[in-house]
Amino acid sequence: MSRKASDNVEYTLRSLSNLMGEKRRRQADGSAGSGAAAAGERSLIAAESCSSLNSAASGGELERAARRQFQQDETPGFVYVVSVFSALGGFLFGYDTGVVSGALLLLKRELNLDALWQELLVSSTVGAAALSALAGGVLNGLCGRRPCILLASGLFTAGAGVLAAARDKETLLGGRVVVGLGIGVASMTVPVYIAEVAPPHLRGRLVTINTLFITGGQFFASVVDGIFSYLAKDGWRYMLGLSAVPAVIQFLGFLFLPESPRWLIQKGQTQRARRILSQMRGNQAIDEEYDSIKNNIEEEEKEVGAAGPVICRMLTYPPTRRALIVGCGLQMFQQLSGINTVMYYSATILQMSGVEDDRLAIWLAALTAFINFIFTLVGVWLVERMGRRKLTLGSLTGTAVALIILASGFLLSAQVSPRITLNPPDPSHQNSTCTKYSYCNGCMLDPDCGLCYKLNKSSVVESSCIRVDKDSTMKAAWGRCSNETVFKKEDLFWAYNFCPTPYSWTALLGLILYLIFFAPGMGPMPWTVNSEIYPLWARSTGNACSSGVNWVFNVLVSLTFLHTAEYLTYYGAFFLYAGFAALGLVFIYGCLPETKGKKLEEIESLFENRLCTCGMSDSDEGRYIEYIRVKGSNYHLSDNDASDVE
């Protein structure tokens, strides 16, 4: 930064200090209290009973707002460009996990996929992501953030090509695995890269872009599903293959974008790091930030070399062990409350509830994805107003209620399940289980059977449970519904995997309520809390462990949903998830402390008590503490803004 610009900064700061000092002196003449002002670093601690210090605090807020406005004006647009190109990895993460919801409805018809293959196509991506996320930590350290993002873009592009050209379900499975490898690397690298290039006062906002891009990718995927569901054949190829477009854009963009300056300093490339840091900060001084990064890296390397593996120190030191249990528990209950069942299988769930038309089910799933996106924005707005603890507790309470509503809707549909009135003998004389069912609900839960029926106004008549054709679940193996063209002309209907019911709206209501409550709190809060509750030396390892727990339970839930629904019934599966949500509510109430407004160094002390009392710790709401740190022209609002990403 030029000497002239530096002088302007110092002049601006001195003027603000003089202005606020004058205001405090005038206030002191008419009250018993006194204001305090000091150059450099100062702390203003105000008690509610002291009106003069409240005035000083309000003055500090004005000064801080002026300084923040000054810095925002100096933030170069290049930082936003880098953040958006990075967050395309989050968009691809959301798109490739969300697109499968609608694609499955077409794939199971065209490729005759049974429940196991549907689960494999969903969970293989998640499983591959879990493995590559763990490997991504090593690759980030060895190769840097930029090469890892380029690798993820290449994997996304290659996977999209394989999926679009697939001729059988085995090739589809291979393509989903390749896409999953890209998701894992991107999910590990993108937030780290954005956090390391962002200026301190914008770090939280810019990292949030990645979360918004994930939910935005899921919504965009559901819209693409709806558009291409109108194609008579191969609509799923376009759904799965279009992810190559943003992947190529990200790859080309990152050919011209820089490496993380923190990683370069860690590898000894200091001159290049200073040049990139100057590019990211515009005309702001970088000496103090550069020295801070360098000193932190040196201290961390000394600690790691002297005290052994970080995970061992975390497990033997009670506060970090308790923090790790809380962080991993949050991620576990996020998945056990069924979020990825809802996102991966939303169209299938709606069809299970009685929505007969594939296209309608896909568009309704798009509506739920849009609600997820909008209420994620609500969570970003609420987190600093309500606090982490209250927002998470309220979110999980509403999620449990929504799951009960969803389960009750399926239970109500089962109670009014149409009776099977015709039992024609199987002409092939095969020992079919379909003939033993008396009601549609039992027939629907059997993956080998479907319902052939007529409608008399809204009543189901002349219904029979028939074995499904081996080549397509869209018709029966024999009888009245064995020829699609013929049975449609004769006003016959074929239902596979669902029963005709007037209560299908209850499933849509349950899904919408679920996302309204889940998206603002239980969606982002496990990630937010995990970024705060570990001390600097344990932050990377703690986040890696909690992320691993999230992926493992993601695989577990997505791989077992359809079979759980088959053995426990649909309403039984959602009552099970509601039970897990209730257990999570007890865990969070007892174990999660409030971290809002606390310095990162203070948060460690919240876990000094026994685990079950962490959530009951004193919140210190009677005190108002404001920290203002002025170092040259680099202004840090609080210690929370310090770079802490490994």
Side-chain angles (χ1 to χ4, degrees):
M1 187 168 87
S2 67
R3 177 177 293 275
K4 183 177 179 181
S6 179
D7 290 343
N8 288 338
V9 171
E10 295 300 327
Y11 176 77
T12 303
L13 297 181
R14 284 198 303 271
S15 299
L16 284 168
S17 295
N18 293 338
L19 178 64
M20 302 320 303
E22 246 182 77
K23 180 179 178 181
R24 294 186 191 106
R25 282 195 296 274
R26 287 198 302 268
Q27 290 171 340
D29 292 339
S31 64
S34 63
E41 181 170 349
R42 60 193 177 271
S43 173
L44 303 176
I45 304 178
E48 290 181 355
S49 61
C50 186
S51 60
S52 62
L53 289 182
N54 278 336
S55 300
S58 64
E61 286 181 7
L62 182 60
E63 182 175 354
R64 182 170 61 170
R67 293 175 187 270
R68 189 188 302 119
Q69 182 61 43
F70 174 81
Q71 264 200 327
Q72 284 179 340
D73 292 341
E74 298 296 324
T75 302
F78 186 61
V79 171
Y80 297 99
V81 173
V82 169
S83 299
V84 169
F85 269 96
S86 304
L88 282 174
F91 180 87
L92 288 163
F93 178 179
Y95 184 91
D96 282 311
T97 53
V99 73
V100 72
S101 171
L104 273 181
L105 296 185
L106 308 183
L107 283 167
K108 70 182 181 182
R109 184 175 69 229
E110 291 191 27
L111 299 181
N112 193 29
L113 300 179
D114 58 19
L116 176 61
W117 268 98
Q118 292 178 59
E119 289 171 337
L120 282 174
L121 289 177
V122 171
S123 58
S124 60
T125 302
V126 182
L131 294 175
S132 63
L134 295 174
V138 178
L139 289 173
N140 268 264
L142 293 176
C143 306
R145 311 337 182 190
R146 179 173 171 270
C148 286
I149 292 177
L150 287 170
L151 173 63
S153 302
L155 289 169
F156 281 127
T157 306
V162 172
L163 289 168
R167 296 295 175 187
D168 51 50
K169 55 191 177 185
E170 290 79 14
T171 308
L172 271 174
L173 182 62
R176 291 291 291 171
V177 169
V178 174
V179 165
L181 295 174
I183 288 174
V185 175
S187 68
M188 173 71 192
T189 309
V190 169
V192 173
Y193 180 80
I194 295 176
E196 290 181 348
V197 300
H201 66 288
L202 289 176
R203 183 169 293 122
R205 191 180 305 168
L206 292 179
V207 173
T208 303
I209 289 176
N210 187 54
T211 305
L212 294 178
F213 269 51
I214 292 173
T215 55
Q218 290 172 334
F219 170 60
F220 185 76
S222 60
V223 172
V224 169
D225 284 348
I227 292 171
F228 288 105
S229 66
Y230 291 94
L231 292 182
K233 191 177 181 183
D234 290 341
W236 56 269
R237 295 187 187 278
Y238 297 96
M239 297 176 187
L240 299 174
L242 272 179
S243 63
V245 176
V248 169
I249 292 172
Q250 186 185 47
F251 185 87
L252 294 176
F254 259 87
L255 291 176
F256 304 98
L257 294 178
E259 179 56 82
S260 159
R262 193 179 195 280
W263 183 86
L264 292 172
I265 295 171
Q266 195 172 33
K267 297 302 179 183
Q269 301 180 39
T270 54
Q271 292 303 314
R272 187 180 169 198
R274 288 185 68 91
R275 187 168 63 252
I276 293 171
L277 201 57
S278 296
Q279 190 179 12
M280 295 291 179
R281 301 297 178 262
N283 62 355
Q284 298 178 19
I286 64 166
D287 290 340
E288 303 238 0
E289 185 176 0
Y290 173 83
D291 291 338
S292 175
I293 294 172
K294 191 171 182 180
N295 292 336
N296 281 342
I297 290 172
E298 289 173 355
E299 289 175 10
E300 290 167 15
E301 288 176 349
K302 286 178 184 177
E303 286 195 17
V304 170
V310 174
I311 187 64
C312 295
R313 284 188 287 152
M314 289 185 71
L315 294 175
T316 54
Y317 182 49
T320 53
R321 183 174 65 243
R322 293 170 188 137
L324 185 63
I325 291 171
V326 170
C328 292
L330 278 171
Q331 297 284 26
M332 178 182 73
F333 283 113
Q334 183 198 60
Q335 294 301 319
L336 288 179
S337 58
I339 178 57
N340 282 314
T341 293
V342 170
M343 295 313 298
Y344 298 158
Y345 295 106
S346 54
T348 302
I349 291 168
L350 288 165
Q351 201 170 58
M352 288 173 177
S353 70
V355 177
E356 300 180 27
D357 185 72
D358 285 353
R359 297 187 188 96
L360 178 59
I362 289 172
W363 281 115
L364 289 174
L367 174 63
T368 63
F370 178 71
I371 291 169
N372 186 40
F373 173 69
I374 292 298
F375 280 89
T376 299
L377 285 172
V378 173
V380 173
W381 181 74
L382 286 175
V383 62
E384 295 299 342
R385 289 166 174 79
M386 289 182 64
R388 284 72 160 147
R389 177 177 163 84
K390 289 181 181 178
L391 184 56
T392 307
L393 286 170
S395 172
L396 195 55
T397 301
T399 297
V401 172
L403 284 167
I404 291 172
I405 292 172
L406 188 58
S408 300
F410 279 107
L411 178 60
L412 187 61
S413 295
Q415 296 295 324
V416 296
S417 178
R419 188 178 184 85
I420 293 172
T421 56
L422 301 176
N423 289 292
D426 191 334
S428 63
H429 304 290
Q430 292 186 11
N431 187 18
S432 173
T433 58
C434 302
T435 56
K436 70 178 183 180
Y437 300 114
S438 301
Y439 290 91
C440 176
N441 194 55
C443 182
M444 175 186 66
L445 293 171
D446 191 326
D448 296 325
C449 305
L451 187 74
C452 184
Y453 64 96
K454 283 187 175 183
L455 282 177
N456 182 12
K457 295 183 180 179
S458 60
S459 302
V460 174
V461 296
E462 298 182 28
S463 57
S464 55
C465 187
I466 307 293
R467 186 163 45 85
V468 178
D469 187 80
K470 290 181 179 180
D471 298 324
S472 173
T473 59
M474 300 304 295
K475 61 181 181 179
W478 58 272
R480 299 177 298 166
C481 292
S482 59
N483 188 310
E484 285 189 72
T485 306
V486 174
F487 75 67
K488 287 180 179 178
K489 288 181 180 178
E490 296 180 358
D491 293 329
L492 285 164
F493 298 90
W494 172 252
Y496 177 74
N497 206 36
F498 70 92
C499 284
T501 174
Y503 297 107
S504 55
W505 60 270
T506 57
L508 180 61
L509 175 64
L511 287 177
I512 290 174
L513 288 175
Y514 179 93
L515 291 171
I516 285 174
F517 286 111
F518 186 94
M522 279 304 289
M525 283 308 101
W527 304 99
T528 301
V529 170
N530 270 283
S531 71
E532 298 175 329
I533 60 177
Y534 307 110
L536 180 61
W537 59 268
R539 195 157 296 142
S540 294
T541 303
N543 276 284
C545 291
S546 62
S547 297
V549 168
N550 184 285
W551 284 114
V552 167
F553 280 91
N554 190 328
V555 174
L556 180 66
V557 172
S558 59
L559 185 60
T560 58
F561 169 64
L562 293 179
H563 280 88
T564 302
E566 183 179 332
Y567 291 109
L568 294 182
T569 70
Y570 298 129
Y571 59 84
F574 287 108
F575 277 130
L576 177 66
Y577 295 143
F580 286 140
L583 287 176
L585 198 59
V586 174
F587 172 80
I588 290 168
Y589 182 81
C591 300
L592 178 64
E594 181 55 74
T595 59
K596 172 191 170 186
K598 294 189 180 292
K599 294 167 58 182
L600 295 175
E601 292 76 11
E602 295 174 340
I603 292 174
E604 184 179 351
S605 65
L606 298 175
F607 294 93
E608 290 178 352
N609 299 323
R610 289 186 307 166
L611 184 63
C612 293
T613 59
C614 290
M616 312 296 182
S617 58
D618 183 17
S619 63
D620 287 336
E621 289 182 357
R623 304 177 70 205
Y624 176 82
I625 302 177
E626 180 180 1
Y627 294 88
I628 302 176
R629 180 177 295 173
V630 182
K631 296 181 179 178
S633 63
N634 277 342
Y635 179 66
H636 302 271
L637 296 181
S638 77
D639 285 351
N640 289 351
D641 293 324
S643 177
D644 55 33
V645 182
E646 181 65 19

